[in-house]
Amino acid sequence: VAQIAANVGDTDYPGNNFYFSSAQALNVATGLDGMSGVATFASGGNYAPLDPNSVITLLSTGALTQSAGALLSGKALHAEGSRVVLNESNPVGVIAGRSTGTSATDVFQYTSANGIQLSQVDARYGIDHAGAAAAGAVTLMSVGGSIGQDANAPILSAGGVHLDTTGPVGLSAATNQVAAVTSQGSSSFA
């Protein structure tokens, strides 16, 4: 399967997780059997790592990408691929993931319409980038909020991290390992 779109749950069956693993490149698609993106119908409350619901897990041995308008909507996202490029204004703000490729183009890029919080999702903590030490190897863009992380959710990258948000940035996990950090638009950085 190279293209995916799904809607999981409804008002009678909220809080279900969505898990998909692919042995090739995977694209979150639009207009696939009348569906666009991947959405889970969330039950009440915020995301809790020890009691997860409405989690989207997308794992690919190749690149993980998304088409224009194919949004990811749930409480949390676990994204893994040789290259992760999820640059639509996704409603999901709680994320964890990794890019496993080792070339300069094997990046981890994520955009949210809300704030971004690195957390534990499934058994993944924070963002792990295995690729080359390139500037912007990890790029996080928050269109509508802050960028932060839980204490146990580090960013691990031999390359640089680029942050784009008009809100505050709080990346203070003691276990962060990055070559450099650049920021655009942030109102404060801690």
Side-chain angles (χ1 to χ4, degrees), residues 12-38:
D12 293 328
Y13 301 99
N16 293 296
N17 297 325
F18 179 82
Y19 180 96
F20 191 83
S21 180
S22 177
Q24 62 185 7
L26 182 63
N27 183 62
V28 180
T30 57
L32 191 62
D33 291 332
M35 290 182 276
S36 294
V38 176

PDB file of all heavy atoms in Angstrom, residues 12-38:
ATOM      1  N   ASP A  12     -20.441   7.098  18.686  1.00  0.00           N
ATOM      2  CA  ASP A  12     -20.740   5.875  19.439  1.00  0.00           C
ATOM      3  C   ASP A  12     -19.486   5.088  19.810  1.00  0.00           C
ATOM      4  O   ASP A  12     -19.494   4.315  20.774  1.00  0.00           O
ATOM      5  CB  ASP A  12     -21.676   4.969  18.635  1.00  0.00           C
ATOM      6  CG  ASP A  12     -23.061   5.579  18.462  1.00  0.00           C
ATOM      7  OD1 ASP A  12     -23.502   6.305  19.382  1.00  0.00           O
ATOM      8  OD2 ASP A  12     -23.679   5.344  17.413  1.00  0.00           O
ATOM      9  N   TYR A  13     -18.430   5.229  19.040  1.00  0.00           N
ATOM     10  CA  TYR A  13     -17.185   4.492  19.257  1.00  0.00           C
ATOM     11  C   TYR A  13     -15.983   5.437  19.175  1.00  0.00           C
ATOM     12  O   TYR A  13     -15.162   5.346  18.263  1.00  0.00           O
ATOM     13  CB  TYR A  13     -17.038   3.365  18.218  1.00  0.00           C
ATOM     14  CG  TYR A  13     -18.175   2.390  18.260  1.00  0.00           C
ATOM     15  CD1 TYR A  13     -19.224   2.472  17.351  1.00  0.00           C
ATOM     16  CD2 TYR A  13     -18.217   1.400  19.235  1.00  0.00           C
ATOM     17  CE1 TYR A  13     -20.288   1.589  17.408  1.00  0.00           C
ATOM     18  CE2 TYR A  13     -19.273   0.507  19.293  1.00  0.00           C
ATOM     19  CZ  TYR A  13     -20.303   0.611  18.386  1.00  0.00           C
ATOM     20  OH  TYR A  13     -21.349  -0.262  18.442  1.00  0.00           O
ATOM     21  N   PRO A  14     -15.851   6.346  20.150  1.00  0.00           N
ATOM     22  CA  PRO A  14     -14.720   7.284  20.131  1.00  0.00           C
ATOM     23  C   PRO A  14     -13.466   6.686  20.765  1.00  0.00           C
ATOM     24  O   PRO A  14     -13.522   5.637  21.417  1.00  0.00           O
ATOM     25  CB  PRO A  14     -15.234   8.444  20.976  1.00  0.00           C
ATOM     26  CG  PRO A  14     -16.095   7.762  22.004  1.00  0.00           C
ATOM     27  CD  PRO A  14     -16.766   6.617  21.246  1.00  0.00           C
ATOM     28  N   GLY A  15     -12.352   7.360  20.565  1.00  0.00           N
ATOM     29  CA  GLY A  15     -11.122   7.016  21.265  1.00  0.00           C
ATOM     30  C   GLY A  15     -10.343   5.847  20.719  1.00  0.00           C
ATOM     31  O   GLY A  15      -9.454   5.324  21.386  1.00  0.00           O
ATOM     32  N   ASN A  16     -10.639   5.408  19.507  1.00  0.00           N
ATOM     33  CA  ASN A  16      -9.897   4.298  18.912  1.00  0.00           C
ATOM     34  C   ASN A  16      -8.574   4.785  18.337  1.00  0.00           C
ATOM     35  O   ASN A  16      -8.457   5.915  17.867  1.00  0.00           O
ATOM     36  CB  ASN A  16     -10.721   3.645  17.799  1.00  0.00           C
ATOM     37  CG  ASN A  16     -11.938   2.955  18.346  1.00  0.00           C
ATOM     38  OD1 ASN A  16     -11.824   2.003  19.099  1.00  0.00           O
ATOM     39  ND2 ASN A  16     -13.113   3.452  17.993  1.00  0.00           N
ATOM     40  N   ASN A  17      -7.581   3.914  18.355  1.00  0.00           N
ATOM     41  CA  ASN A  17      -6.283   4.216  17.769  1.00  0.00           C
ATOM     42  C   ASN A  17      -6.244   3.706  16.338  1.00  0.00           C
ATOM     43  O   ASN A  17      -6.973   2.783  15.974  1.00  0.00           O
ATOM     44  CB  ASN A  17      -5.165   3.565  18.588  1.00  0.00           C
ATOM     45  CG  ASN A  17      -5.111   4.108  19.999  1.00  0.00           C
ATOM     46  OD1 ASN A  17      -5.366   5.283  20.235  1.00  0.00           O
ATOM     47  ND2 ASN A  17      -4.778   3.254  20.946  1.00  0.00           N
ATOM     48  N   PHE A  18      -5.356   4.299  15.528  1.00  0.00           N
ATOM     49  CA  PHE A  18      -5.145   3.861  14.152  1.00  0.00           C
ATOM     50  C   PHE A  18      -3.678   3.524  13.993  1.00  0.00           C
ATOM     51  O   PHE A  18      -2.805   4.353  14.268  1.00  0.00           O
ATOM     52  CB  PHE A  18      -5.537   4.951  13.156  1.00  0.00           C
ATOM     53  CG  PHE A  18      -5.314   4.547  11.729  1.00  0.00           C
ATOM     54  CD1 PHE A  18      -6.247   3.768  11.075  1.00  0.00           C
ATOM     55  CD2 PHE A  18      -4.172   4.934  11.046  1.00  0.00           C
ATOM     56  CE1 PHE A  18      -6.049   3.371   9.753  1.00  0.00           C
ATOM     57  CE2 PHE A  18      -3.961   4.552   9.734  1.00  0.00           C
ATOM     58  CZ  PHE A  18      -4.903   3.767   9.090  1.00  0.00           C
ATOM     59  N   TYR A  19      -3.365   2.294  13.545  1.00  0.00           N
ATOM     60  CA  TYR A  19      -1.995   1.834  13.374  1.00  0.00           C
ATOM     61  C   TYR A  19      -1.841   1.282  11.958  1.00  0.00           C
ATOM     62  O   TYR A  19      -2.626   0.438  11.533  1.00  0.00           O
ATOM     63  CB  TYR A  19      -1.696   0.722  14.389  1.00  0.00           C
ATOM     64  CG  TYR A  19      -0.298   0.155  14.299  1.00  0.00           C
ATOM     65  CD1 TYR A  19       0.703   0.616  15.132  1.00  0.00           C
ATOM     66  CD2 TYR A  19       0.013  -0.846  13.384  1.00  0.00           C
ATOM     67  CE1 TYR A  19       1.983   0.104  15.064  1.00  0.00           C
ATOM     68  CE2 TYR A  19       1.291  -1.359  13.301  1.00  0.00           C
ATOM     69  CZ  TYR A  19       2.271  -0.886  14.143  1.00  0.00           C
ATOM     70  OH  TYR A  19       3.539  -1.390  14.058  1.00  0.00           O
ATOM     71  N   PHE A  20      -0.809   1.773  11.240  1.00  0.00           N
ATOM     72  CA  PHE A  20      -0.543   1.237   9.911  1.00  0.00           C
ATOM     73  C   PHE A  20       0.961   1.188   9.699  1.00  0.00           C
ATOM     74  O   PHE A  20       1.667   2.177   9.913  1.00  0.00           O
ATOM     75  CB  PHE A  20      -1.193   2.074   8.809  1.00  0.00           C
ATOM     76  CG  PHE A  20      -1.144   1.398   7.469  1.00  0.00           C
ATOM     77  CD1 PHE A  20      -2.091   0.451   7.131  1.00  0.00           C
ATOM     78  CD2 PHE A  20      -0.131   1.678   6.571  1.00  0.00           C
ATOM     79  CE1 PHE A  20      -2.033  -0.214   5.908  1.00  0.00           C
ATOM     80  CE2 PHE A  20      -0.069   1.028   5.347  1.00  0.00           C
ATOM     81  CZ  PHE A  20      -1.023   0.084   5.009  1.00  0.00           C
ATOM     82  N   SER A  21       1.445   0.040   9.234  1.00  0.00           N
ATOM     83  CA  SER A  21       2.859  -0.157   8.952  1.00  0.00           C
ATOM     84  C   SER A  21       3.005  -0.572   7.497  1.00  0.00           C
ATOM     85  O   SER A  21       2.272  -1.445   7.023  1.00  0.00           O
ATOM     86  CB  SER A  21       3.421  -1.240   9.879  1.00  0.00           C
ATOM     87  OG  SER A  21       4.784  -1.441   9.629  1.00  0.00           O
ATOM     88  N   SER A  22       3.954   0.035   6.797  1.00  0.00           N
ATOM     89  CA  SER A  22       4.152  -0.243   5.382  1.00  0.00           C
ATOM     90  C   SER A  22       5.601  -0.620   5.109  1.00  0.00           C
ATOM     91  O   SER A  22       6.521   0.001   5.659  1.00  0.00           O
ATOM     92  CB  SER A  22       3.789   0.993   4.546  1.00  0.00           C
ATOM     93  OG  SER A  22       4.050   0.765   3.178  1.00  0.00           O
ATOM     94  N   ALA A  23       5.801  -1.593   4.236  1.00  0.00           N
ATOM     95  CA  ALA A  23       7.143  -2.025   3.844  1.00  0.00           C
ATOM     96  C   ALA A  23       7.648  -1.241   2.638  1.00  0.00           C
ATOM     97  O   ALA A  23       8.596  -1.664   1.976  1.00  0.00           O
ATOM     98  CB  ALA A  23       7.144  -3.520   3.544  1.00  0.00           C
ATOM     99  N   GLN A  24       7.022  -0.105   2.358  1.00  0.00           N
ATOM    100  CA  GLN A  24       7.457   0.768   1.259  1.00  0.00           C
ATOM    101  C   GLN A  24       7.112   2.201   1.640  1.00  0.00           C
ATOM    102  O   GLN A  24       6.623   2.462   2.723  1.00  0.00           O
ATOM    103  CB  GLN A  24       6.757   0.375  -0.033  1.00  0.00           C
ATOM    104  CG  GLN A  24       5.244   0.510   0.026  1.00  0.00           C
ATOM    105  CD  GLN A  24       4.576  -0.006  -1.239  1.00  0.00           C
ATOM    106  OE1 GLN A  24       5.215  -0.580  -2.103  1.00  0.00           O
ATOM    107  NE2 GLN A  24       3.284   0.191  -1.355  1.00  0.00           N
ATOM    108  N   ALA A  25       7.381   3.128   0.731  1.00  0.00           N
ATOM    109  CA  ALA A  25       7.019   4.529   0.962  1.00  0.00           C
ATOM    110  C   ALA A  25       5.514   4.623   1.174  1.00  0.00           C
ATOM    111  O   ALA A  25       4.739   3.863   0.592  1.00  0.00           O
ATOM    112  CB  ALA A  25       7.455   5.381  -0.219  1.00  0.00           C
ATOM    113  N   LEU A  26       5.101   5.567   2.021  1.00  0.00           N
ATOM    114  CA  LEU A  26       3.681   5.719   2.357  1.00  0.00           C
ATOM    115  C   LEU A  26       3.303   7.189   2.287  1.00  0.00           C
ATOM    116  O   LEU A  26       3.979   8.041   2.860  1.00  0.00           O
ATOM    117  CB  LEU A  26       3.420   5.182   3.773  1.00  0.00           C
ATOM    118  CG  LEU A  26       1.984   5.226   4.280  1.00  0.00           C
ATOM    119  CD1 LEU A  26       1.067   4.333   3.429  1.00  0.00           C
ATOM    120  CD2 LEU A  26       1.946   4.779   5.740  1.00  0.00           C
ATOM    121  N   ASN A  27       2.204   7.481   1.584  1.00  0.00           N
ATOM    122  CA  ASN A  27       1.699   8.839   1.455  1.00  0.00           C
ATOM    123  C   ASN A  27       0.292   8.920   2.037  1.00  0.00           C
ATOM    124  O   ASN A  27      -0.575   8.122   1.690  1.00  0.00           O
ATOM    125  CB  ASN A  27       1.676   9.275  -0.014  1.00  0.00           C
ATOM    126  CG  ASN A  27       1.216  10.706  -0.167  1.00  0.00           C
ATOM    127  OD1 ASN A  27       1.850  11.626   0.320  1.00  0.00           O
ATOM    128  ND2 ASN A  27       0.087  10.894  -0.831  1.00  0.00           N
ATOM    129  N   VAL A  28       0.073   9.891   2.912  1.00  0.00           N
ATOM    130  CA  VAL A  28      -1.272  10.172   3.418  1.00  0.00           C
ATOM    131  C   VAL A  28      -1.966  10.943   2.306  1.00  0.00           C
ATOM    132  O   VAL A  28      -1.524  12.020   1.916  1.00  0.00           O
ATOM    133  CB  VAL A  28      -1.220  10.976   4.733  1.00  0.00           C
ATOM    134  CG1 VAL A  28      -2.624  11.257   5.231  1.00  0.00           C
ATOM    135  CG2 VAL A  28      -0.402  10.233   5.777  1.00  0.00           C
ATOM    136  N   ALA A  29      -3.066  10.383   1.789  1.00  0.00           N
ATOM    137  CA  ALA A  29      -3.650  10.845   0.540  1.00  0.00           C
ATOM    138  C   ALA A  29      -4.943  11.623   0.722  1.00  0.00           C
ATOM    139  O   ALA A  29      -5.563  11.593   1.781  1.00  0.00           O
ATOM    140  CB  ALA A  29      -3.915   9.634  -0.367  1.00  0.00           C
ATOM    141  N   THR A  30      -5.335  12.299  -0.351  1.00  0.00           N
ATOM    142  CA  THR A  30      -6.645  12.954  -0.438  1.00  0.00           C
ATOM    143  C   THR A  30      -7.487  12.218  -1.470  1.00  0.00           C
ATOM    144  O   THR A  30      -6.968  11.642  -2.417  1.00  0.00           O
ATOM    145  CB  THR A  30      -6.525  14.436  -0.875  1.00  0.00           C
ATOM    146  OG1 THR A  30      -5.851  14.493  -2.127  1.00  0.00           O
ATOM    147  CG2 THR A  30      -5.790  15.263   0.138  1.00  0.00           C
ATOM    148  N   GLY A  31      -8.805  12.244  -1.257  1.00  0.00           N
ATOM    149  CA  GLY A  31      -9.731  11.690  -2.231  1.00  0.00           C
ATOM    150  C   GLY A  31      -9.577  10.198  -2.466  1.00  0.00           C
ATOM    151  O   GLY A  31      -9.848   9.713  -3.563  1.00  0.00           O
ATOM    152  N   LEU A  32      -9.177   9.465  -1.468  1.00  0.00           N
ATOM    153  CA  LEU A  32      -9.018   8.020  -1.592  1.00  0.00           C
ATOM    154  C   LEU A  32     -10.289   7.363  -1.069  1.00  0.00           C
ATOM    155  O   LEU A  32     -10.575   7.418   0.128  1.00  0.00           O
ATOM    156  CB  LEU A  32      -7.792   7.563  -0.795  1.00  0.00           C
ATOM    157  CG  LEU A  32      -7.306   6.140  -0.987  1.00  0.00           C
ATOM    158  CD1 LEU A  32      -6.872   5.896  -2.428  1.00  0.00           C
ATOM    159  CD2 LEU A  32      -6.137   5.878  -0.054  1.00  0.00           C
ATOM    160  N   ASP A  33     -11.089   6.800  -1.959  1.00  0.00           N
ATOM    161  CA  ASP A  33     -12.393   6.231  -1.601  1.00  0.00           C
ATOM    162  C   ASP A  33     -13.253   7.238  -0.830  1.00  0.00           C
ATOM    163  O   ASP A  33     -13.919   6.900   0.149  1.00  0.00           O
ATOM    164  CB  ASP A  33     -12.228   4.948  -0.779  1.00  0.00           C
ATOM    165  CG  ASP A  33     -11.665   3.811  -1.600  1.00  0.00           C
ATOM    166  OD1 ASP A  33     -11.877   3.797  -2.834  1.00  0.00           O
ATOM    167  OD2 ASP A  33     -11.002   2.934  -1.026  1.00  0.00           O
ATOM    168  N   GLY A  34     -13.179   8.493  -1.241  1.00  0.00           N
ATOM    169  CA  GLY A  34     -13.982   9.543  -0.622  1.00  0.00           C
ATOM    170  C   GLY A  34     -13.417  10.092   0.680  1.00  0.00           C
ATOM    171  O   GLY A  34     -14.051  10.922   1.333  1.00  0.00           O
ATOM    172  N   MET A  35     -12.247   9.645   1.087  1.00  0.00           N
ATOM    173  CA  MET A  35     -11.633  10.118   2.331  1.00  0.00           C
ATOM    174  C   MET A  35     -10.339  10.864   2.033  1.00  0.00           C
ATOM    175  O   MET A  35      -9.674  10.588   1.039  1.00  0.00           O
ATOM    176  CB  MET A  35     -11.325   8.946   3.257  1.00  0.00           C
ATOM    177  CG  MET A  35     -12.549   8.286   3.837  1.00  0.00           C
ATOM    178  SD  MET A  35     -12.120   6.951   4.953  1.00  0.00           S
ATOM    179  CE  MET A  35     -11.895   5.621   3.780  1.00  0.00           C
ATOM    180  N   SER A  36     -10.003  11.769   2.937  1.00  0.00           N
ATOM    181  CA  SER A  36      -8.740  12.500   2.844  1.00  0.00           C
ATOM    182  C   SER A  36      -8.082  12.515   4.208  1.00  0.00           C
ATOM    183  O   SER A  36      -8.729  12.796   5.217  1.00  0.00           O
ATOM    184  CB  SER A  36      -8.980  13.934   2.370  1.00  0.00           C
ATOM    185  OG  SER A  36      -9.449  13.933   1.044  1.00  0.00           O
ATOM    186  N   GLY A  37      -6.794  12.210   4.255  1.00  0.00           N
ATOM    187  CA  GLY A  37      -6.060  12.222   5.504  1.00  0.00           C
ATOM    188  C   GLY A  37      -6.416  11.046   6.395  1.00  0.00           C
ATOM    189  O   GLY A  37      -7.080  10.101   5.981  1.00  0.00           O
ATOM    190  N   VAL A  38      -5.976  11.132   7.648  1.00  0.00           N
ATOM    191  CA  VAL A  38      -6.286  10.116   8.646  1.00  0.00           C
ATOM    192  C   VAL A  38      -6.833  10.833   9.866  1.00  0.00           C
ATOM    193  O   VAL A  38      -6.192  11.745  10.396  1.00  0.00           O
ATOM    194  CB  VAL A  38      -5.039   9.278   9.035  1.00  0.00           C
ATOM    195  CG1 VAL A  38      -5.377   8.295  10.137  1.00  0.00           C
ATOM    196  CG2 VAL A  38      -4.483   8.548   7.811  1.00  0.00           C
TER     197      VAL A  38
END
